[in-house]
Amino acid sequence: MSQFIDAPQARARALSRHRWALSRHRGAAILAVLALAVLNIALTGPAAAEPSGVGDSSSAPKFLKLTLDSVSPNTVTTSSDSVVTIAGTVTNIGDRVVDDIEVRTQRTGAITDPRGLRSALRLDQSSYTVNTPFVDVADRLSPGQRKQFTLRVGVRPGSKGTPGSAPVTASLDITGPGVYPLLLNVNGTPAYGGQARLDDARFLLPVLGLPSPTGDSDQKTVSAPTDAPVATTMLWPLADRPRLVAGIPGSVGDKALLTDDELAGELATGGRLDQLLGALESAVHPDSAGTGANVANALCLAVDPDLLLTVSDMTTGYRVLASPSDPDGPTRDGTGTDAAKAWLNRLRTLAPTMCTVSLPFAQVDLSALAAVHDSALTSRAISSPTELVDQILSMRSVHGVSLPESGSINSDAATMLSQHGFTSAVLADNAVAPAGTSSGSGSSTHTATTVSASSSTASPSTVRLPGPTPPAAAAPSSGNSAATPDQGMKVSTFDIWPATALAAVGSNPPTPAFTPANVRYDVAKDSRTARLQDALGAMSWTALNPQPNRPRSQLLMPPQQWSANRDEATTLLTQLQTLIHSGLATPRSFQDLLAVQADSHPYEVSYSAGAAADAVPGRFTAPVQQQAGRITDLMNTLVEVPQQEPTPRTFLTPLRDDLVRTLSLSDRTSTGSQADTAAQRRLDQSTTALDGLFRSVTVLPPGGVYTLASEQSPLLLVARNELPVAARIRFKIGVPSGTDITDIGEQTLPAEGTRSFQIPTKVSDSRNLMIPISITTPDGIALGNATSVKVRSNAYGSALAIITACAGALLFLLAGRRLWRRFRGQPDPADEGLDPGKRRRLNRYLRARKRVLQRQETP
């Protein structure tokens, strides 16, 4: 929106240009008339007015784009230069020439309410009442052209800067310390239009003290009061979005598979994680003057265990998908093994020397996790991270505290944390409210309340939620009982205004869920320098503005997946160091913050609408819950064999990690649809993998027809286990009528092997049978594929028993008859026709042969 200034002068300039055009194009009378008509409308018509009190920083410029490149000094102190040098760039982004381009600096009063740290950046330019004169930048810029400029403005009246420096055009007329909103205003005259304000750039300038205006030490400086320094703690996050490909169970010796190789670049020299770690290393290592120690006392390293797992896997070699959208496609070797080793070794050196705390696994959405109601999944997501960090970094981190990525949780998540032994949580100051005043404590249904910026009263630095004492030995919390000073989980709150400004620092600036809706705008349209200045101002505001309704402490909380580079991170750490050394702040350790006595009044969680909007959609809850239950069923089936790897836990834990990553809040504040796509792909891959694992334990179908030789012949079956872990199974056999098949109970299949089983079977008659057979877990969960066995039985039942009995009786009678006749000396009729001499000779031969055989056998 353009606002015209000095209309008569603009009209004169336009008419002059028009007469010059007529002198060159005398034959174009009609075109000239049209040009005059357009010009008259532009000069005499009403300009588009800006909304009252709201600037247009979020609107897109049409002709010129003004970008802030640098501010020096970025923070004014009693020892800094008394002149602020502002560098910027003006770019013609339109489709027409712009003439008479000029820039000036404007400011408004110091921010007296923390809401102004955000709302002042949206004020109408008319609210910036202190103006400096315009400075010419360029006579003309054609489309696509750009021009850099530098403004030098004094901080206080009479500021001249250091001797020999460039002249100062004007003064900002600042008379006392504070955080001041500044605006760069660029004017120009587009072709076919009049002179107008075409764009602006807004930023904050923290003034910790006023330097001497002339640089003379005899001139009086103005310092900020230091009688009430603010106790300051700052968390330093190291996190990344999930990278491991889903659906791959644990194994021994196999290389990890990543979706892409971007993490290699982030870990390498100059990468995001390398720069964040490097800035922290420089800040906490004491220099020759010992200044680093004070800053280190105020810092605590917050690490995502999922990042540590991934980097640890990369150190032994890894593979990368050729196409991240094709998890079953070709792969290639990763390039970041050396970078991962070097980065992890640096972190292992740094972490034990300072406070270190674990973030929730993969920046999981705790409210969505609570809705799943799976204890094993919950334990992996919020309880195991501290163990992972301690194990991988070989140290002891801070335990018992949860740091949700969104800064807000609902009542179900609060109860979940208490039941898993958490004694503290870190939440935004608008994520809690006095008991009975919040209508948006929320539950798994993502019910939420709207958070506005209408009140500047912050929550106490530490509050307590209702419920019994959190340790796991205590009874589970209902979350509804009245709190006492010794009950319930404590919540340490952080100020949302510095947190919002810190989130905007870097290459990928999100707007956090806890930022009130009425002060939201697209911060990506501001330059990185402007966003860094806003963060410096927000960090300094509490120290410069003691207020009775606000605590004299602050917890500075950058976003967990922070995109600040080393220069920006170093600048922020330097600002913290400056606040401490100037006496405006004192370092407070994270452990001391957690030990602060909670406010005596009961509080409850207040789940904001912003947190609900950025949360993991509810459609993922049921599928994740189902697959988590299947993992537990399979875990109960597998058998741990001593000295055999992998164990059931190491084999299935990666699949459980995939489900936690499905509930990740990573990238949801800026790319929600992409986050949903990634979560659905991860869930689908996990489901497919579990389907395959359950099919890997099965009974083998016999070939052809199986024949039972007798009435009680056993049924022979073969089962196969393709898993690298032994499994317990049960046979589920359909028993036809007239058949008795014994249940052989629970059996064990060896890892990656087969085993034969004899099933006692009794069939009472001869017939062909079709017996259905399948395998289940000991709990009755189906495994593998069901099959059927064709059985032919040769049993004859009662008829066979009668025939056998008759034959036996006849044999007994015939043998008895023969013995009776021989006893009476009567030849048996069956022996008639046999010569007695031949019988005697045969008997003698047989006896002689027996003696020879006995002698041969005697040694």
Side-chain angles (χ1 to χ4, degrees), residues 78-79 156 161 163 210-222:
T78 56
S79 59
R156 56 191 297 188
L210 293 181
S212 170
T214 61
D216 187 350
S217 58
D218 293 335
Q219 294 289 331
K220 184 177 181 181
T221 61
V222 180

Side-chain angles (χ1 to χ4, degrees), residues 438-647:
S438 172
S439 60
S441 59
S443 63
S444 58
T445 59
H446 287 168
T447 302
T449 185
T450 300
V451 176
S452 69
S454 59
S455 175
S456 62
T457 302
S459 299
S461 61
T462 304
V463 300
R464 192 177 296 277
L465 301 180
T469 304
S477 170
S478 65
N480 296 320
S481 60
T484 68
D486 297 325
Q487 289 184 328
M489 183 175 65
K490 290 200 303 184
V491 171
S492 298
T493 63
F494 61 85
D495 194 334
I496 63 171
W497 306 111
T500 297
L502 289 170
V505 175
S507 59
N508 183 28
T511 298
F514 48 74
T515 303
N518 57 351
V519 291
R520 286 175 171 260
Y521 64 91
D522 186 4
V523 294
K525 294 182 179 180
D526 295 337
S527 69
R528 293 184 68 159
T529 300
R531 301 197 302 266
L532 178 60
Q533 284 296 133
D534 299 341
L536 295 175
M539 288 177 61
S540 309
W541 188 88
T542 301
L544 293 171
N545 294 271
Q547 294 188 348
N549 62 339
R550 299 186 64 84
R552 291 305 292 158
S553 66
Q554 65 174 347
L555 171 60
L556 300 176
M557 191 78 175
Q560 293 183 10
Q561 195 172 322
W562 202 14
S563 59
N565 62 27
R566 179 161 186 160
D567 290 340
E568 292 165 334
T570 300
T571 300
L572 294 170
L573 289 171
T574 301
Q575 184 76 355
L576 178 60
Q577 178 176 306
T578 301
L579 291 171
I580 294 174
H581 291 169
S582 63
L584 293 172
T586 57
R588 178 185 55 184
S589 69
F590 187 58
Q591 294 91 330
D592 289 343
L593 170 65
L594 298 178
V596 171
Q597 182 69 33
D599 188 83
S600 59
H601 298 88
Y603 274 72
E604 62 187 7
V605 293
S606 179
Y607 196 54
S608 68
D614 292 340
V616 175
R619 69 174 183 271
F620 290 102
T621 301
V624 168
Q625 185 180 50
Q626 180 182 10
Q627 301 310 317
R630 296 180 70 194
I631 292 176
T632 301
D633 292 337
L634 193 56
M635 180 75 77
N636 295 335
T637 299
L638 302 182
V639 180
E640 184 170 354
V641 179
Q643 299 181 348
Q644 178 177 312
E645 293 290 340
T647 65

Side-chain angles (χ1 to χ4, degrees), residues 706-716 761 763 765-766 791-796 800:
Y706 184 81
T707 302
L708 296 178
S710 67
E711 180 183 5
Q712 295 186 352
S713 295
L715 183 65
L716 298 179
T761 306
V763 183
D765 55 359
S766 179
V791 177
R792 178 184 296 118
S793 172
N794 289 333
Y796 290 93
L800 180 61

Side-chain angles (χ1 to χ4, degrees), residues 18 21-22 25-36:
H18 182 62
L22 288 177
H25 306 284
R26 298 177 182 275
I30 297 177
L31 180 60
V33 172
L34 291 175
L36 281 171

